[in-house]
């Protein structure tokens, strides 16, 4: 993917076009079990003067009903389509506006959290291993970087990533990693000095997600118009394996990280045993899905939100393997939903 395409993807635009390539999974680990799904924070953009956009946050119930008034976060700069919100320390939610990052406290106060030196922007962010990681780029750069914000200062972790869509993920043994995808390749890049290494995926179109089973990486991919499979690679190994699915109705299109592993399919969710989906344990969708799905979660709870388009979805408990209630979100016209996050449990 050339730099022009990548920059165009990262510019502010409508959230109508959720792409499977950028299916973002913001699950941050395991914790105490939550019996009922918690509430939601919905982030939406409204148009301003001279082409500017303003980002707002509003608290919604698990059923999609607004509970408090909207919170104005600030002018929205250069950010990615996804991963602009992450759960942070002390029950905070961190949000990138591009040029700076703000925190929403549990009492719904907005506070400055981190500033980016000019001309850098934080395209996306993720709280990993007790620190904030950010995918950072300048408007003129062809390659993104990864920075870490810790003890009130930025540190450059990776000065140049391969060109593509970058997702910050929890790697094996909870290690921070970057997953970089272009139309034909995928890279798993550790963000610590002694993390495991993986070969580069090629020979297909990666779906945009990666899962880990005891250090083994699993990447779903498409090949041609009708071919689907998953690529499997062991840590610190030079070789990899492929497993072909029989067709689109029996293919894993994305993987939900966390434990246990679940795969997302057009028919429902399927549990994994090791690196293989257990088709006999398919969990059908309670109702037909209407659009490309995006999965959102938060550490400390097994509940996930599976968004079906930008403003509707269904809850899922990855521990019990059961769906929760469906919901729909209404925002003021002409606002556009940019992100959804789970509130603190």
């Amino acid at each position: 993917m050339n730099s022009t395409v990548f920059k165009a993807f990262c510019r502010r635009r409508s959230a109508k076009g959720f792409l499977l390539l950028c299916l973002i999974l913001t699950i941050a680990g395991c914790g105490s079990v939550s019996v009922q799904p918690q509430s939601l924070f919905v982030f939406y953009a409204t148009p301003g003067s001279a082409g500017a956009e303003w980002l707002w946050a509003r608290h919604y119930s698990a059923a999609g009903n607004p509970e408090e008034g909207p919170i104005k976060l600030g002018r929205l700069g250069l950010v990615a389509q996804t991963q602009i919100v992450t759960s942070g320390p002390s029950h905070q939610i961190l949000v990138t506006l591009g040029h700076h990052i703000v925190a929403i406290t549990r009492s719904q106060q907005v506070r400055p959290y981190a500033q980016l030196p000019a001309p850098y922007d934080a395209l996306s962010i993720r709280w990993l291993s007790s620190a904030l990681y950010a995918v950072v780029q300048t408007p003129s750069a062809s390659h993104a970087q990864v920075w870490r914000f810790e003890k009130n200062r930025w540190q450059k972790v990776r000065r140049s990533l391969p060109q593509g869509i970058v997702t910050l993920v929890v790697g094996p043994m909870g290690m921070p990693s970057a997953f970089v995808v272009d139309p034909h390749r995928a890279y798993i890049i550790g963000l610590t000095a002694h993390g495991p290494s993986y070969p580069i995926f090629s020979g297909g179109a990666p779906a945009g997600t990666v899962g880990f089973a005891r250090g083994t990486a699993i990447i779903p991919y498409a090949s041609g118009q009708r071919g689907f499979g998953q690529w499997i690679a062991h840590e610190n190994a030079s070789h990899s394996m492929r497993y072909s699915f029989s067709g689109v109705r029996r293919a894993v299109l994305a993987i939900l990280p966390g434990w246990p592993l679940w795969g997302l399919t057009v028919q429902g969710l399927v549990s994994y045993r090791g690196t293989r989906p257990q088709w006999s344990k398919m969990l059908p969708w309670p109702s037909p899905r209407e659009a490309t799905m995006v999965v959102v979660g938060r550490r400390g709870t097994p509940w996930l939100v599976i968004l079906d388009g930008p403003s509707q979805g269904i809850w899922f408990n990855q521990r019990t393997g059961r769906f929760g209630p469906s919901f729909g979100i209404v925002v003021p016209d002409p606002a556009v939903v940019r992100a959804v996050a789970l509130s603190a449990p």
Side-chain angles (χ1 to χ4, degrees):
M1 181 179 295
N2 62 42
S3 60
T4 302
V5 173
F6 178 59
K7 292 173 188 173
F9 183 87
C10 292
R11 292 191 185 104
R12 304 184 303 271
R13 66 190 201 190
S14 169
K16 293 179 181 177
F18 278 104
L19 301 177
L20 182 60
L21 181 63
C22 66
L23 183 72
I24 297 301
L25 306 162
T26 54
I27 303 159
C30 301
S32 59
V33 175
S34 205
V35 177
Q36 297 293 332
Q38 57 266 42
S39 53
L40 300 167
F41 263 107
V42 177
F43 298 84
Y44 58 87
T46 59
S49 60
E53 282 186 310
W54 293 88
L55 192 65
W56 302 74
R58 190 168 189 180
H59 202 221
Y60 285 73
S61 70
N65 300 314
E67 295 195 326
E68 284 96 11
I71 306 168
K72 192 173 186 179
L73 301 180
R75 183 170 176 171
L76 188 60
L78 181 66
V79 297
Q81 282 280 88
T82 49
Q83 277 197 328
I84 67 171
V85 177
T86 185
S87 58
S90 304
H91 301 284
Q92 297 180 108
I93 295 177
L94 306 180
V95 188
T96 177
L97 298 175
H99 44 284
H100 68 283
I101 296 164
V102 298
I104 304 174
T105 68
R106 200 168 192 176
S107 60
Q108 300 194 33
Q109 300 297 312
V110 180
R111 298 176 179 172
Y113 189 82
Q115 184 78 28
L116 276 294
Y120 292 98
D121 290 288
L123 305 182
S124 56
I125 56 175
R126 181 96 188 259
W127 186 265
L128 297 167
S129 298
S130 301
L132 178 67
Y133 285 78
V135 178
V136 175
Q137 194 168 355
T138 66
S140 61
S142 60
H143 294 264
Q145 305 178 26
V146 176
W147 294 8
R148 182 175 64 236
F149 187 76
E150 197 173 17
K151 297 180 179 179
N152 294 319
R153 61 184 297 269
W154 287 106
Q155 178 184 358
K156 294 183 179 181
V157 178
R158 289 279 177 173
R159 294 181 180 271
S160 181
L161 294 173
Q163 289 185 349
I165 298 170
V166 184
T167 306
L168 298 171
V169 300
V170 179
M173 296 180 290
M175 292 186 175
S177 301
F179 184 53
V180 185
V181 172
D182 71 20
H184 306 289
R185 289 173 295 274
Y187 308 79
I188 303 169
I189 301 171
L191 301 178
T192 57
H194 305 290
S197 62
Y198 293 90
I200 299 171
F201 166 85
S202 61
T209 62
V210 59
F212 296 94
R214 298 184 182 276
T216 300
I218 308 167
I219 299 176
Y221 69 91
S223 179
Q225 295 183 344
R226 299 182 180 179
F228 296 89
Q230 64 179 23
W231 178 86
I232 301 169
H234 300 289
E235 56 184 311
N236 302 322
S238 59
H239 65 280
S240 60
M241 299 174 289
R242 292 174 185 262
Y243 174 82
S244 297
F245 298 120
S246 58
V248 66
R249 297 184 64 83
R250 203 171 176 84
V252 172
L253 305 178
I255 294 181
L256 284 59
W259 195 259
L261 284 182
W262 289 85
L264 187 150
T265 79
V266 295
Q267 293 184 299
L269 299 178
V270 60
S271 63
Y272 267 74
R273 183 176 181 181
T275 60
R276 293 297 178 91
Q278 303 298 294
W279 297 110
S280 61
K281 298 181 180 180
M282 169 72 72
L283 188 65
W285 298 116
S287 58
R289 302 294 94 189
E290 302 294 336
T292 301
M293 287 164 279
V294 175
V295 184
V296 178
R298 181 187 176 106
R299 73 177 185 277
T301 173
W303 285 101
L304 311 176
V305 163
I306 301 174
L307 294 173
D308 180 15
S311 57
Q312 63 184 21
I314 189 170
W315 291 89
F316 175 67
N317 190 311
Q318 63 178 339
R319 302 272 187 86
T320 64
R322 294 186 178 184
F323 289 107
S326 298
F327 62 89
I329 297 166
V330 177
V331 295
D333 186 62
V336 175
V337 176
R338 293 301 308 268
V340 174
L342 276 62
S343 61

